[in-house]
Amino acid sequence: MHATLREYEGIGDPTEALQPLRDGLLAEMEALPGFIAYYFVDVGDAGDRMISLSVFESSEAAAESNRIAAEWVERWIAAHPNTAPTASRVDAGPVVASAVRSH
């Protein structure tokens, strides 16, 4: 498994980010081969930031997700220049340990 953690700044209203995310980026991520999971986390208590975590079966799929996410941010900036996020940090690598709750 491979994961990418992206940090976005400049998101004053997290609810404003959710609809474009649902309408575009999530569908694009889910369509990638090897998609496992995507999380968008409001860490607003630490400032106007949110983080995302995407998990894929291969490094190639994770790299493709990074390209898609960058294009999505560019489209958002073009459509919403005053409220668009800035991807301030992107880190990616192999998952070396994980756990999930069993049902």
Side-chain angles (χ1 to χ4, degrees), residues 25-84:
L25 183 62
L26 289 181
E28 293 181 60
M29 291 288 180
E30 289 175 330
L32 287 172
F35 172 81
I36 295 174
Y38 182 90
Y39 304 95
F40 198 52
V41 182
D42 181 0
V43 291
D45 289 343
D48 59 350
R49 296 183 312 122
M50 294 189 81
I51 58 172
S52 70
L53 175 67
S54 53
V55 184
F56 292 88
E57 292 175 356
S58 69
S59 61
E60 294 81 13
E64 181 65 7
S65 79
N66 293 334
R67 184 190 65 75
I68 287 171
E71 288 177 358
W72 178 77
V73 169
E74 287 178 20
R75 288 192 308 266
W76 192 358
I77 289 171
H80 308 92
N82 296 326
T83 61

Side-chain angles (χ1 to χ4, degrees), residues 1-25:
M1 281 191 300
H2 290 263
T4 299
L5 179 69
R6 296 175 196 87
E7 183 175 329
Y8 297 98
E9 295 180 357
I11 301 177
D13 182 3
T15 58
E16 190 175 327
L18 294 179
Q19 198 59 48
L21 180 78
R22 289 182 184 128
D23 290 345
L25 183 62

